[in-house]
Amino acid sequence: MLRHLILLTCLAGSNLYADPLSGSLELGTSASQSYEARNTFIHPAALGFDTALNGGDITTAMSLGTNDGRPIDYSFGLALSYLGLGAERLSSLGLSRYQVATGFPLTARLFFGARVGFYRYDAGQALTSWDVGFQFRPSSRFSFGALFNQVNRPVLSGSALPMETLLSATVKPLDWLELSFDTVTPSTDFFRTFTSQALVGVRLKEGVKVRLGYHQNYQWMAGVQIHFGTSSAYSSVQPTSPNRKWVMGVQSGTQSYATKVGPRKTVRMTVGNSLSDEKVAASFFSPSQPSLLDLLKDLETLEKDPSVESVVLRLEGFPLGLASAHEAHLALRRLRRAGKSIHVYLGNSGIKEYLIASAADRISMEPAGEIRWLGVRAERYFGKGTLDKVGVEAEFLAAGKYKSAPEMFTRKDSSEAARSAALEEIKGLEESLIKALTQTRKIDRARWKKLLELGLLSASEAKEEGLIDAVEAHSSALAALEKTRWVTPLTRPRKDTLALPRRIAVVVASGNILPDKIRFLSMGGTDQVTPRIMKKKLDKAQLDSRTAAVLLRVSSPGGEVLASQEIASQLEAFGKERDVIVSMGDVAASGGYYIAAPAKRVFASPMTLTGSIGVFLGKFSFAGLYKFIDLHKELLTQGPYPGLYSEDRSWTKSERAVMERRLNHYYDAFVNYVSVNREISKTDAGNAAQGRVWTGLQALDHKLVDEMGGYYEAIQYTALEAGLDPGEFEVWEIEQSAGLFQMLADGEPWSKVLGQPSPAAELPPALRRSLLWMSVSKDTPYLFLNPVSPPDA
């Protein structure tokens, strides 16, 4: 492998060298482009551009140059984020040059760079040169550079050297063709004396680029640059030059290059219970928390990377819902259609994990693992009996036949309407599951029912039933694979473009919608959406000049009315400036649906639960408990409704009538809001309301959503609407703050602050939801748009 790399390095193309202080054009390169570690030599502003484009990884470059009968020249470059270092030995000139450079963005299109160079001649002379410059990168088709060398007019042999102005432009008319022109002129003879260079770059295939050019001093030049994984070999040949003959070098970094050259590789990945709806950046106390979007972007990276032949995925768990699992399933199927082989390893697996794994070519299971084929189910806790025992009465009113959330406090079991609606949801989700599994593992309705009867299957039983292909330990299988294949962890290839791409900003609304974060719920691991949080995210997207459109990912069961209305108003105002498209996650119901309604277009998965257009309100009366513990509360008022907001007494008939009037007002407003924003009749909106929860497919029939699809389809539509070309944009998820004090101020969950699970996180989800509504009822009566409890698998 090393011998081949050295041989190809000698043949490869592009270069590093110029004679400093004598026409500062770096031969075979352009000051309007970017060259990672070589940016210190070519243009320091590109350090800022490359960092903004690819991140601040370490890159290094080493080059050798030879002449007829002269000593070998060499150089070394290093770049780390916005800082660059360079050292050159030009033996033919008896000169050593050391450079320190920095570059950073002034705007999304304008980059500034500066460097200081220390020159030492063998004859004993020395000088220091200061250079500054700019790169302007307006689009992926054009870039411009301006570099001013020797701005301090250093003195050499008793004479002040002139400042040199280098101007450069690159045009990329086609994805595979680049045209560059550079010229440099001294200040003492400005544009009457100049040195120029023209280059043509042609990408033959991914990872192989040919360069042809003409330099005013060195005449014709040619070369090829070839990428090998995390390394790139380059050189330049000048067959007609009276001085230089060829330069060769190699560059490497921690990120890989997109290339078809070299061996195909296998990428290993792990998906576990740290996955969440919303991405959280790393902090001092905890690692970053990846989101579903991160996973989907990783799979898309593998899909487009020509060096990837196969993927080994260890699926340790999947904490999100069925709709999210279905999105991961479809992403793996797209990966297979791109010609990649996929091998999934399972430990213990439920239906969600198996749905994801079913998209693979091969499924293996740990010998001690099992598949829990328990089907789709919903769970709810009912607290009326418990409340009765402690003398607490739950008083709740609901607008909508199916608005069943208060039943957890007012009944000991589900009402007939709530039970029938839940069973219909389960049936719809089950139909979508069977449809997906039939396409990948041939699990039709008959096999589905048979597997439900088995319930729990050991690894060997799962293999006998044809659910998996092998029983083997992941660690030993991976070790054996690494002996015969090139196996690497997932890395994102470096991007190669002339400008920072436009962005689709993803704003995630995950959790219960509340006016402000409740610290108790945060420490218990319950996600919350508040107007303040949403405004911060929307402001961040608004202020980013690269943002072309916003995709709102809603994964919320609902929440408080006024908070939902405030967030919806924010989105309506934002939509006047930039398009807002909605992608619904596992559940986008009630308040979650309210904030989605004003979007330009709404996407939902077949397994999304949405709708629940209804309202409820209520309070807890502690009169019985106060009597039991002999606690007395005195309330003095001349108002006619003393018990309206008081927890020490139940509502009177007149007070209940006031609350019913308020409830109906908000329910009518909700239905009308849906009618106006979804452009459907009020009758149709009313038929879709009544607090009924719909699957994504049912919601499409009721015109509550526009299209079936998850993140992938919503992103493609958003890009099309914003006029973004495929491959010319990036998806940017606006993260939560990771600073410890900011996280504490925002009431972030315990696990996100200290990287440890909260004790409350171990509680069953349905019980945690019950605690939620008991917690927020301290300011009773709250007016709710409903906590929807999605079925799980």
Side-chain angles (χ1 to χ4, degrees):
M1 176 75 182
L2 182 59
R3 291 197 305 271
H4 294 159
L5 182 59
I6 294 173
L7 175 62
L8 286 166
T9 299
C10 297
L11 300 175
S14 190
N15 74 311
L16 245 163
Y17 284 89
D19 287 337
L21 313 179
S22 180
S24 305
L25 290 178
E26 299 289 344
L27 197 62
T29 64
S30 174
S32 52
Q33 295 196 42
S34 176
Y35 301 89
E36 293 95 39
R38 292 177 286 161
N39 287 329
T40 300
F41 301 101
I42 300 163
H43 199 314
L47 291 166
F49 168 71
D50 189 67
T51 299
L53 181 67
N54 289 306
D57 68 314
I58 296 177
T59 59
T60 60
M62 181 173 289
S63 300
L64 300 174
T66 184
N67 308 310
D68 286 337
R70 297 183 182 181
I72 291 178
D73 298 338
Y74 57 87
S75 73
F76 175 79
L78 180 147
L80 172 59
S81 187
Y82 301 106
L83 178 67
L85 302 175
E88 287 182 299
R89 174 59 185 173
L90 303 180
S91 302
S92 57
L93 299 177
L95 170 66
S96 297
R97 176 168 65 165
Y98 309 94
Q99 293 182 306
V100 179
T102 185
F104 49 87
L106 297 177
T107 70
R109 295 180 176 87
L110 183 63
F111 301 83
F112 172 77
R115 71 184 172 203
V116 57
F118 304 96
Y119 298 79
R120 299 291 182 268
Y121 285 89
D122 293 345
Q125 294 175 307
L127 61 87
T128 301
S129 173
W130 289 89
D131 310 327
V132 296
F134 300 88
Q135 284 188 337
F136 179 56
R137 297 173 172 271
S139 78
S140 61
R141 299 298 180 189
F142 303 97
S143 64
F144 305 93
L147 186 61
F148 306 97
N149 295 315
Q150 301 158 199
V151 294
N152 60 323
R153 301 290 304 276
V155 176
L156 181 66
S157 300
S159 299
L161 299 176
M163 184 184 77
E164 290 185 336
T165 300
L166 192 161
L167 301 176
S168 175
T170 294
V171 180
K172 193 173 184 179
L174 302 169
D175 290 340
W176 52 269
L177 178 64
E178 291 176 348
L179 307 172
S180 298
F181 180 78
D182 292 62
T183 186
V184 61
T185 182
S187 59
T188 53
D189 205 10
F190 193 67
F191 270 105
R192 290 191 295 272
T193 301
F194 53 84
T195 304
S196 300
Q197 173 179 267
L199 294 172
V200 177
V202 178
R203 189 181 67 195
L204 300 181
K205 66 177 182 177
E206 195 72 62
V208 180
K209 182 183 288 185
V210 173
R211 283 193 177 90
L212 303 173
Y214 186 85
H215 188 284
Q216 191 168 325
N217 293 336
Y218 301 115
Q219 302 173 14
W220 295 103
M221 67 188 80
V224 177
Q225 183 165 1
I226 305 178
H227 297 326
F228 303 89
T230 57
S231 299
S232 179
Y234 53 88
S235 75
S236 179
V237 180
Q238 300 92 40
T240 60
S241 170
N243 297 314
R244 294 276 191 261
K245 289 303 181 185
W246 56 266
V247 176
M248 70 174 187
V250 65
Q251 182 164 296
S252 63
T254 56
Q255 279 183 283
S256 63
Y257 293 89
T259 180
K260 291 184 178 178
V261 180
R264 305 290 297 279
K265 65 183 178 183
T266 295
V267 172
R268 65 177 186 268
M269 295 178 61
T270 299
V271 175
N273 288 313
S274 63
L275 200 70
S276 64
D277 280 311
E278 185 172 4
K279 182 175 183 175
V280 180
S283 69
F284 179 79
F285 292 94
S286 62
S288 61
Q289 187 171 350
S291 66
L292 174 65
L293 182 58
D294 286 326
L295 173 61
L296 299 179
K297 287 166 66 177
D298 286 343
L299 295 177
E300 186 176 22
T301 296
L302 297 175
E303 179 186 341
K304 295 179 178 178
D305 190 339
S307 67
V308 174
E309 183 178 47
S310 59
V311 177
V312 174
L313 173 63
R314 183 173 185 176
L315 187 54
E316 297 176 342
F318 194 79
L320 305 180
L322 281 169
S324 298
H326 188 234
E327 288 195 58
H329 166 93
L330 293 176
L332 287 177
R333 287 171 62 177
R334 287 192 294 272
L335 193 57
R336 282 186 66 179
R337 287 197 294 271
K340 320 292 184 179
S341 171
I342 305 171
H343 190 164
V344 172
Y345 285 85
L346 292 172
N348 290 328
S349 170
I351 297 294
K352 290 183 298 185
E353 290 79 9
Y354 188 78
L355 172 63
I356 298 170
S358 69
D361 301 270
R362 180 177 172 84
I363 304 175
S364 296
M365 177 168 273
E366 298 282 348
E370 67 178 16
I371 295 182
R372 298 159 183 168
W373 204 280
L374 304 178
V376 185
R377 64 194 186 278
E379 60 176 21
R380 293 181 66 188
Y381 285 85
F382 294 89
K384 178 173 170 48
T386 305
L387 296 176
D388 287 346
K389 291 182 183 298
V390 296
V392 176
E393 180 186 7
E395 291 191 295
F396 285 89
L397 303 172
K401 177 181 177 182
Y402 299 98
K403 205 66 175 174
S404 58
E407 291 181 0
M408 69 176 75
F409 302 120
T410 60
R411 294 178 59 93
K412 295 184 178 181
D413 57 7
S414 293
S415 64
E416 185 58 36
R419 183 178 289 109
S420 64
L423 289 173
E424 186 126 356
E425 293 165 25
I426 290 171
K427 182 180 177 181
L429 294 174
E430 194 172 86
E431 290 293 326
S432 295
L433 268 171
I434 294 172
K435 181 179 179 181
L437 293 173
T438 300
Q439 294 172 341
T440 54
R441 300 296 290 193
K442 308 302 179 187
I443 298 177
D444 57 14
R445 191 178 307 281
R447 284 197 69 200
W448 173 270
K449 290 183 177 180
K450 178 186 175 182
L451 292 168
L452 284 177
E453 292 174 0
L454 293 173
L456 301 178
L457 295 90
S458 66
S460 58
E461 290 172 331
K463 188 174 184 301
E464 289 175 8
E465 291 293 333
L467 295 179
I468 64 174
D469 302 295
V471 179
E472 56 184 344
H474 173 259
S475 56
S476 58
L478 187 61
L481 182 65
E482 288 176 337
K483 293 179 181 178
T484 58
R485 300 290 300 277
W486 183 19
V487 181
T488 69
L490 173 70
T491 56
R492 294 183 182 275
R494 299 187 68 86
K495 299 170 190 162
D496 182 13
T497 180
L498 293 183
L500 297 181
R502 300 293 301 281
R503 282 173 163 174
I504 294 175
V506 176
V507 175
V508 178
S510 173
N512 300 285
I513 301 173
L514 297 171
D516 291 295
K517 277 205 167 188
I518 297 176
R519 192 62 51 84
F520 168 77
L521 299 176
S522 277
M523 299 303 282
T526 301
D527 289 333
Q528 298 164 61
V529 183
T530 71
R532 185 165 69 97
I533 291 172
M534 291 299 294
K535 187 175 187 306
K536 282 183 178 180
K537 293 182 178 181
L538 291 172
D539 286 348
K540 196 170 183 179
Q542 181 76 33
L543 293 172
D544 182 73
S545 61
R546 294 166 59 191
T547 298
V550 170
L551 178 65
L552 175 66
R553 176 71 170 195
V554 181
S555 188
S556 170
E560 201 266 344
V561 166
L562 296 181
S564 300
Q565 288 180 338
E566 187 174 346
I567 292 171
S569 297
Q570 292 174 2
L571 291 165
E572 286 184 74
F574 189 89
K576 296 176 182 178
E577 301 292 332
R578 288 185 170 95
D579 290 341
V580 177
I581 311 300
V582 161
S583 169
M584 292 181 168
D586 296 314
V587 57
S590 206
Y593 184 78
Y594 197 105
I595 66 176
K600 182 175 182 178
R601 200 157 190 86
V602 179
F603 287 78
S605 163
M607 300 186 200
T608 295
L609 293 182
T610 187
S612 190
I613 301 167
V615 187
F616 77 92
L617 57 76
K619 71 169 187 175
F620 292 98
S621 170
F622 294 92
L625 177 62
Y626 287 2
K627 182 178 180 180
F628 176 75
I629 62 176
D630 203 19
L631 175 66
H632 301 272
K633 176 181 177 181
E634 185 177 63
L635 177 62
L636 303 177
T637 180
Q638 292 184 343
Y641 308 117
L644 206 62
Y645 288 93
S646 181
E647 87 292 347
D648 70 319
R649 65 197 71 192
S650 300
W651 284 328
T652 64
K653 186 176 180 180
S654 59
E655 289 170 340
R656 182 174 291 269
V658 170
M659 300 311 291
E660 286 177 345
R661 187 173 72 249
R662 182 186 180 206
L663 180 76
N664 292 330
H665 166 76
Y666 278 102
Y667 177 74
D668 291 341
F670 193 175
V671 173
N672 186 64
Y673 187 79
V674 172
S675 171
V676 170
N677 283 278
R678 296 299 305 159
E679 297 181 352
I680 59 178
S681 69
K682 195 166 183 179
T683 300
D684 289 341
N687 292 336
Q690 293 296 321
R692 181 67 182 268
V693 177
W694 309 100
T695 65
L697 284 171
Q698 293 170 329
L700 183 64
D701 291 338
H702 287 282
K703 300 180 181 179
L704 297 181
V705 303
D706 299 299
E707 290 190 38
M708 288 293 95
Y711 260 130
Y712 179 81
E713 291 78 11
I715 287 170
Q716 299 307 309
Y717 177 86
T718 304
L720 184 65
E721 286 295 297
L724 303 175
D725 295 330
E728 296 294 328
F729 66 90
E730 67 180 20
V731 178
W732 170 46
E733 181 178 349
I734 299 179
E735 301 176 6
Q736 291 187 26
S737 170
L740 173 63
F741 296 109
Q742 182 64 47
M743 292 175 75
L744 289 172
D746 288 343
E748 293 295 348
W750 183 272
S751 59
K752 293 178 181 177
V753 175
L754 298 181
Q756 299 177 359
S758 161
E762 301 301 317
L763 296 174
L767 183 55
R768 288 169 62 193
R769 282 189 290 270
S770 302
L771 292 175
L772 163 68
W773 300 112
M774 293 188 71
S775 302
V776 300
S777 61
K778 61 183 176 56
D779 295 324
T780 55
Y782 257 109
L783 187 66
F784 291 114
L785 291 181
N786 206 83
V788 172
S789 228
D792 201 358

